[in-house]
Amino acid sequence: MSRQVLAVVALLAAGAASAQTIVVRADRLVDVRDGDYVSPAIVVIDGERITGVNPPTVPPGARVIELPGKTLLPGFIDLHTHLTLTLDGDWKHQAATETAADWALLGARNARVTLLAGFTTVRDIANNGGFPDVALARAVDKGLVDGPRIVPAGNSLSITGGHCDTTGYAPGVLETTPEDGAVDGVDAALKGARYQIKHGAQVIKICATAGVLSAEGPAGAQQLTDEEMRTIVEEAARHGVRVAAHAHGTAGIDAAVRAGVTTIEHGTTLDEATAKLMKQKGTFWVATSYVWDVLDFPGMTPTMQRKRDELRQRIGASLRLGLKHGVKIGLGSDELWVHGRNAREFTTLVRHGLTPAQALRAGTLTGAEALGVTDRGELAPGLLADIVAVGGDPLGDIKAVEDVKFVMKGGKVYKQP
Ligand SMILES: [Zn+2]
C-alpha cells in the first residue's frame, strides 16, 4: 500500500456517519506490504469493512475508539491450527472415548482464545474426525461462537497406517475408510477428496510423509504416492479447493510440490533443490517453527521423542535456505496444547532469521495469498475490518505481538483495553 493510497478516503465522504460507523484511532499502524510504520492511524469502519485509512476528515457522529500508545495491525492469519484438538491427558485414546460433539465444544473454547490472541482467520487442518471443524466454522459464521474465520479441512487424507490415519488399536477397532481419510490408490484418493469437499472441507490436508506424533519409524518417509497426491490436487482444483501437504522428509516435500500442492506444512528438511523448486512453482511454506520448542509432553513414546530430536535440529537451517531462495513463507503455529499462544510463531520465525517485517507479512498478507483471498491481510479501504492493536514496537521487537490489546473482526470489537 502506498502512502498516497493511505491518504485517500476511499468510500466515505465527510458526510454524517451511519449508525454503524466506527473510527479507530491509534498512534500508528504497520503497513505490512512495505514493512513501515504510518502515523497517525485513523481507520474508518462501516459495517464489516474498512472504508477509510487516514482520511482528511472523519465522519461526524461516528463511534470513536481511542487506542493511545498502540500500534494497529491487520488481524493475524494462522494457516495451521487444530482448534478441535487438545493433546492432554489420555490424548492417544481420544478417538475411542470421545465424539465429534466433544471436539466441536472443545473447539468453541479454543476458537475464542485464538481470536482474543489476535488471529481473525485460521486454516484448521486435521482433527479427530466427524467434521467438528466444519461445524465450528459454521457456528462462528452464524455468530453462535466467538472465533476467527475458519477454513476447515475435514478429515486429512493419509495412507492406511500413515501419519494422519488412526493407529495403535487392535485389528477391527477404529478401522478407517476413504471417507475417514484413509486412502490407498487413485480411486480411494478421489473418493476421499470428494467426500471431504461434499461435507464442507474448504481445503484438503494430505499427509505426504510420516510424522512425529504417530507410530512409524522414519519421520520423513514419503507415504502417499506421487500419483495419489496428483490425483487429490487435480480433483480439489476442480472444486476450487487448495491442498495443504504435511511433509517432513526431502523426497516427500519434493513429491508434494511437484504434485501441485499450495502449501507445504513443516517442510522440516528442505534442501537447496526443494527450496528452488518451491520458489519456481510458487509453493507456500508453513514452517511451524515454534512447535519444536514445545513438543515435549506426557504420552510421547521413545520413537516419537527420537523423531522429534532428529527433526528439530533441521528447522533452523531449512528456514535459512528458504529465505535465501525467496520461498513464500506463511505463518502457521501447529498449536495443539495451550491454544492462544499462536503469536509465538512470529517470534520464532524472527529467531530463525526473518526480520520482524517479514514475519508480520507471513502472518497477514502472505497468509491471505495462500488462502487465495484478497479481502484481508492489510489495513486498506474495501477490506474486511479485521484489526488488532499491540503496545511496544513490533517492527523493532516482534514479541510485542504476543500481547494483543485490541481485537476487531468484521467491524465487531472482541477485546479492548
Ligand atoms: Zn499440525
Side-chain angles (χ1 to χ4, degrees), residues 80-82 85 125-126 163 205 246 265-266 288 291 333-336:
H80 192 127
T81 65
H82 302 288
L85 285 175
I125 47 174
H163 177 61
K205 160 89 175 282
H246 159 106
E265 310 300 308
H266 316 304
T288 67
V291 76
S333 65
D334 205 6
E335 179 59 73
L336 279 160

Side-chain angles (χ1 to χ4, degrees), residues 24 26 28-30 41 43 67 70-74 379 387-389 406:
V24 177
R28 58 190 178 181
L29 61 85
V30 176
V43 181
L67 298 172
K70 301 293 182 289
T71 301
L72 302 185
L73 290 146
L379 298 174
I387 304 170
V388 303
F406 171 86

Side-chain angles (χ1 to χ4, degrees), residues 38-119:
V38 174
S39 295
I42 299 164
V43 181
V44 183
I45 297 117
D46 213 25
E48 64 170 11
R49 298 217 173 231
I50 296 170
T51 52
V53 176
N54 286 339
T57 55
V58 297
R63 174 183 159 211
V64 179
I65 298 172
E66 298 282 359
L67 298 172
K70 301 293 182 289
T71 301
L72 302 185
L73 290 146
F76 304 143
I77 297 174
D78 189 331
L79 293 172
H80 192 127
T81 65
H82 302 288
L83 293 180
T84 60
L85 285 175
T86 293
L87 301 190
D88 57 6
D90 192 22
W91 61 275
K92 278 186 282 190
H93 297 113
Q94 282 171 352
T97 59
E98 298 177 354
T99 69
D102 292 291
W103 304 323
L105 290 167
L106 174 69
R109 180 259 176 206
N110 292 340
R112 183 166 186 279
V113 298
T114 302
L115 175 64
L116 296 182
F119 287 80

Side-chain angles (χ1 to χ4, degrees), residues 51-351:
T51 52
V53 176
N54 286 339
T57 55
V58 297
R63 174 183 159 211
V64 179
I65 298 172
E66 298 282 359
L67 298 172
K70 301 293 182 289
T71 301
L72 302 185
L73 290 146
F76 304 143
I77 297 174
D78 189 331
L79 293 172
H80 192 127
T81 65
H82 302 288
L83 293 180
T84 60
L85 285 175
T86 293
L87 301 190
D88 57 6
D90 192 22
W91 61 275
K92 278 186 282 190
H93 297 113
Q94 282 171 352
T97 59
E98 298 177 354
T99 69
D102 292 291
W103 304 323
L105 290 167
L106 174 69
R109 180 259 176 206
N110 292 340
R112 183 166 186 279
V113 298
T114 302
L115 175 64
L116 296 182
F119 287 80
T120 50
T121 298
V122 302
R123 195 180 58 164
D124 200 69
I125 47 174
N127 53 72
N128 273 331
F131 297 94
D133 54 340
V134 173
L136 183 62
R138 279 200 289 253
V140 169
D141 287 347
K142 287 178 188 165
L144 301 176
V145 168
D146 287 350
R149 305 170 195 282
I150 298 170
V151 178
N155 300 312
S156 306
L157 305 185
S158 169
I159 63 164
T160 291
H163 177 61
C164 293
D165 191 13
T166 303
T167 57
Y169 295 92
V173 179
L174 286 176
E175 297 287 10
T176 45
T177 66
E179 288 84 351
D180 301 316
V183 297
D184 301 295
V186 164
D187 288 350
L190 267 179
K191 175 77 182 184
R194 287 173 178 166
Y195 191 80
Q196 306 319 312
I197 293 166
K198 172 182 176 180
H199 291 290
Q202 294 169 28
V203 58
I204 295 288
K205 160 89 175 282
I206 65 172
C207 280
T209 74
V212 174
L213 297 180
S214 45
E216 323 92 321
Q222 183 173 339
Q223 294 193 331
L224 287 167
T225 67
D226 296 12
E227 198 182 13
E228 286 165 341
M229 286 194 256
R230 252 194 328 269
T231 300
I232 293 165
V233 170
E234 287 170 7
E235 181 58 23
R238 291 185 192 106
H239 302 265
V241 168
R242 297 178 170 206
V243 176
H246 159 106
H248 286 295
T250 311
I253 298 170
D254 181 80
V257 173
R258 289 185 195 282
V261 303
T262 298
T263 63
I264 291 291
E265 310 300 308
H266 316 304
T268 320
T269 58
L270 217 66
D271 66 2
E272 294 271 354
T274 45
K276 281 183 194 162
L277 183 69
M278 287 176 74
K279 168 69 178 171
Q280 180 203 328
K281 299 216 24 150
T283 315
F284 294 86
W285 182 21
V286 183
T288 67
S289 61
Y290 140 77
V291 76
W292 300 109
D293 291 351
V294 291
L295 198 50
D296 186 13
F297 64 102
M300 284 183 80
T301 63
T303 300
M304 292 173 186
Q305 290 170 356
R306 173 182 55 74
K307 291 189 286 186
R308 173 202 62 201
D309 293 345
E310 278 170 23
L311 286 174
R312 75 168 155 204
Q313 309 301 326
R314 304 292 300 274
I315 188 66
S318 293
L319 265 166
R320 285 192 291 280
L321 272 181
L323 278 171
K324 175 180 153 194
H325 291 290
V327 177
K328 290 189 283 191
I329 295 172
L331 178 138
S333 65
D334 205 6
E335 179 59 73
L336 279 160
W337 302 275
V338 184
H339 290 265
R341 301 185 296 189
N342 315 53
R344 291 196 191 181
E345 178 68 15
F346 285 107
T347 307
T348 317
L349 288 173
V350 170
R351 196 175 82 214

